[in-house]
Amino acid sequence: MPLALLALAVGAFGIGTTEFVMMGLLPDVADDLHVSIPTAGHLVSAYALGVVIGAPLLAAATARMSRRKVLIALMGLFVAGNALSAFAPHYHWLLAARFLSGLPHGAFFGVGAVVATNLVAPERKARSVSLMFLGLTVANIAGVPVATLMGQHLGWRATFLGVSAIGVAAIASLALLIPHDHTHAQAGGLRGELAALRSLPVWLALGTTVAGFGALFSAYSYITPMLTDSAGYAEGSVTLLLALFGVGATAGNLVGGRLADHSLRGTLFGGLVSLVAVLALFPVLMTTQWSAAVAVTLLGVAAFITGSPLQLMVMEKASAAPSLASSANQAAFNLANAGGAWIGGLALAAGFGATSPALAGAALAVLGLAVATLAHTVDRRRAVAPAGTPGRLVATHVPPHAEPAHH
């Protein structure tokens, strides 16, 4: 695997850290800026909103630029947003800075995934995407706990300065390791990129992302009350258990990338079936402490097995606009974050018990399976139309002027 993937992973590590660290800093931020914790919680939503809005807009706006320059510029915007967060004089400044920090998130992963796949041989595309996402999952094991401790001992502003430093390191890595390239837009420019998204298979792939990862966040958003109220853990033990989720997510991401290079759709279906099973077993697994720890780890494995297959599938369905489609998939991921948490909250508020968000997540995972099955059916019917079309059911067109593959 090319060393350039390390540069993408460093950027992903910084983005993953800043996305999730705010949850652990909310009490400190709320106290320092004299707002309530629910009000401070809007800082999490502001970041997610930035991701959803910025992912497709920035990918489309930079369609005629070289991907290397786009990645460096996006990471520069990331550094600016986190530096402004560190020096925020009041709550509304921080709210705007968090929104700014979220803008480059989706486009970075979207463009980065295209660069990663163009750096390797065709049979290693999914693995290359999983190695980029490795930075995101490792952030949950190391980046977020260390950044949270830094915020608790040195102040929350020091955390965002530290994240900015990671961004600067990522910029240096990108400049040194990512190959030089030229404009990557199709002849139709922005209009051609947007037209590529008017495809039913693309929207079915995005729908699978929303439902599948909505299943994850329906449960994960309420994992703390499950562990304390149902499994009997002390609150001080939750941080260690969340690190187990990160370990599971990292393992699932690596396994999913390797398996998807052999069978993209088979890995996707296998991951979704595993997610249904794990979430359906949560009420049983959360009755003892040892089985609850296993459940948290398995949740990370099952959910992130599907990460690389979904990213690659969306890119290949919109082969004329892979950067835009890949970025749109990151927006879908964050919609899943918000929607899954909302659905899990409804189950909890209805009085169905501490583990009810996991059962709601299992239902969402079944919906994801249904959408994925519909997508498979559509692909089969389209494959029959051009008689004698051999091979894989998804497009594998590489745009002109793409980076050369290194074998």
Side-chain angles (χ1 to χ4, degrees):
M1 286 291 172
L3 193 59
L5 293 176
L6 176 63
L8 296 173
V10 172
F13 179 81
I15 288 175
T17 300
T18 201
E19 179 179 18
F20 295 108
V21 75
M22 182 55 75
M23 288 76 158
L25 297 178
L26 282 182
D28 302 282
V29 173
D31 182 61
D32 186 52
L33 298 181
H34 309 294
V35 296
S36 66
I37 288 182
T39 299
H42 295 159
L43 297 168
V44 177
S45 302
Y47 183 93
L49 183 62
V51 178
V52 173
I53 292 175
L57 286 182
L58 289 178
T62 58
R64 304 191 67 84
M65 295 173 59
S66 82
R67 293 189 178 109
R68 178 177 180 273
K69 291 180 180 178
V70 169
L71 288 171
I72 292 173
L74 290 171
M75 194 49 58
L77 185 59
F78 169 84
V79 170
N82 282 280
L84 288 171
S85 297
F87 294 105
H90 51 73
Y91 169 76
H92 291 98
W93 176 295
L94 183 57
L95 192 70
R98 286 293 290 172
F99 175 79
L100 181 65
S101 300
L103 286 176
H105 176 130
F108 182 88
F109 280 112
V111 176
V114 177
V115 170
T117 56
N118 286 334
L119 287 170
V120 299
E123 66 271 14
R124 294 188 175 186
K125 283 186 174 184
R127 208 177 311 177
S128 71
V129 172
S130 73
L131 289 177
M132 179 187 69
F133 282 131
L134 188 64
L136 183 65
T137 58
V138 170
N140 282 283
I141 304 173
V144 173
V146 170
T148 302
L149 286 174
M150 182 186 296
Q152 292 170 348
H153 290 86
L154 302 177
W156 62 269
R157 297 177 189 276
T159 295
F160 289 112
L161 285 176
V163 172
S164 298
I166 296 173
V168 172
I171 290 173
S173 301
L174 292 166
L176 287 172
L177 299 176
I178 299 296
H180 289 271
D181 63 328
H182 304 287
T183 178
H184 61 272
Q186 297 290 321
L190 178 57
R191 182 173 296 180
E193 291 256 325
L194 294 174
L197 296 185
R198 298 175 190 164
S199 165
L200 178 60
V202 172
W203 286 101
L204 288 175
L206 292 173
T208 305
T209 296
V210 172
F213 278 97
L216 164 65
F217 287 111
S218 178
Y220 187 69
S221 300
Y222 304 97
I223 198 71
T224 297
M226 287 190 213
L227 291 170
T228 55
D229 299 345
S230 185
Y233 275 102
E235 288 188 6
S237 304
V238 171
T239 301
L240 178 60
L241 290 162
L242 294 184
L244 284 180
F245 172 83
V247 171
T250 299
N253 174 54
L254 292 174
V255 169
R258 184 171 290 270
L259 292 178
D261 279 328
H262 297 285
S263 175
L264 188 66
R265 200 177 297 276
T267 304
L268 175 59
F269 277 107
L272 288 171
V273 169
S274 301
L275 189 57
V276 172
V278 170
L279 289 171
L281 288 172
F282 252 57
V284 176
L285 295 174
M286 282 291 165
T287 54
T288 64
Q289 291 191 349
W290 71 268
S291 59
V294 172
V296 171
T297 307
L298 290 178
L299 179 62
V301 173
F304 279 86
I305 280 178
T306 65
S308 298
L310 280 170
Q311 190 75 23
L312 193 58
M313 188 171 290
V314 170
M315 289 162 55
E316 293 185 334
K317 295 299 181 187
S319 58
S323 297
L324 181 56
S326 184
S327 300
N329 194 51
Q330 292 301 311
F333 180 87
N334 278 268
L335 285 175
N337 190 340
W342 177 68
I343 291 172
L346 289 179
L348 206 57
F352 293 130
T355 57
S356 60
L359 295 179
L364 283 173
V366 170
L367 176 60
L369 268 172
V371 177
T373 302
L374 177 59
H376 182 47
T377 302
V378 170
D379 277 351
R380 288 176 65 88
R381 289 180 178 176
R382 292 192 174 202
V384 171
T389 302
R392 214 162 158 184
L393 296 177
V394 292
T396 55
H397 171 73
V398 177
H401 309 302
E403 294 87 346
H406 298 286
H407 298 269

